Amino acid sequence: MTAQASFLVAVMYFLGAVYLTAYYHYFRVDAFSLGFGFAELAMQSLNLLTASAAIVLTAAVLTARHLAGGEPVPGQGRVVRAVDRGLRAAARAHLYVVGVGVALLLLWPYIRPYEWSGPALLGIGVLLGQRGRAPDAAAPPGVWSKAVPVFTAGLLVMWALSLVTGQLAAGEAREAAANLPRRTAVVLLSTARLGLAGPGLTVEDLGSGVRYRYRYTGLRRLIERNGRYYLLPVGWTAGAGPTYVIQDGSGIRVELLPGTRWR
């Protein structure tokens, strides 16, 4: 139980790190510079849990459990026996699955955004090959006949999952940028000019009679970590929009306001 839980947490950490790296890379921010902890990275993997992902994950776990279970148990239902026959047929054809996976890897530039299907099929083919081994095979279970194929299949499946995770994160980042006006609005008040300029950003000189003389509006908050505000101008674009990093201090006051709401 402890080993399985540790493995699950490690997978969650990996996928969470991939997700945050891809998400903030879209805004030209290094996710690891934000200082996320282990638990925060692991929790970010929950962003992958959609209805379709839950169905696929459940089917994959049940299939893997069945593959590891060996011979079917007498008294199983008709559906279970049909699934078992299908898995046996797929196991006998595992080399074809591997071949299709290799072909998709060679066609990598032409199958985007489905390039994850190549390593996924390779991993599935290797796992099916383990089920397809004859019980009286000459090679006894050992490192090269069992551990190495399973480890290789695991790496291939993780590669596929990382590609899917990166695509999902990039898609959500694009959606966030498209709805940027709805994010939390930020007003910067500073005692000195900050030299900020960007699409939709305005600066006002309130005069020498006030402490915070310069007022910047038209900003949206991306994230705030450890006293640093990562801000985007409301007209930000992926091609040329700047991402500002503002350190909170005595010469700056940050005000957070609701973003634009659609009727």
Side-chain angles (χ1 to χ4, degrees), residues 97-98 100-108 111 113-127 152-164 167:
V97 178
V98 172
V100 173
V102 172
L104 291 177
L105 286 181
L106 296 177
L107 297 173
W108 184 284
I111 60 174
Y114 303 105
E115 60 267 26
W116 53 266
S117 59
L121 285 177
L122 281 175
I124 293 173
V126 173
L127 287 178
T152 302
L155 287 180
L156 291 168
V157 171
M158 289 302 296
W159 182 15
L161 286 176
S162 66
L163 293 174
V164 174
Q167 290 178 4

Side-chain angles (χ1 to χ4, degrees), residues 72-94:
V73 178
Q76 288 180 330
R78 182 180 303 175
V79 174
V80 175
R81 289 196 298 269
V83 171
D84 184 75
R85 288 194 298 269
L87 288 176
R88 289 174 179 272
R92 289 192 295 269
H94 70 279

Side-chain angles (χ1 to χ4, degrees), residues 24-83:
Y24 287 107
H25 176 75
Y26 185 79
F27 300 103
R28 291 181 284 280
V29 175
D30 181 9
F32 289 97
S33 69
L34 299 175
F36 289 107
F38 182 90
E40 292 175 297
L41 288 172
M43 291 298 293
Q44 288 298 322
S45 64
L46 298 179
N47 289 313
L48 308 177
L49 289 181
T50 61
S52 56
I55 294 174
V56 172
L57 180 62
T58 302
V61 170
L62 292 177
T63 301
R65 174 63 179 170
H66 189 74
L67 288 174
E71 295 298 323
V73 178
Q76 288 180 330
R78 182 180 303 175
V79 174
V80 175
R81 289 196 298 269
V83 171

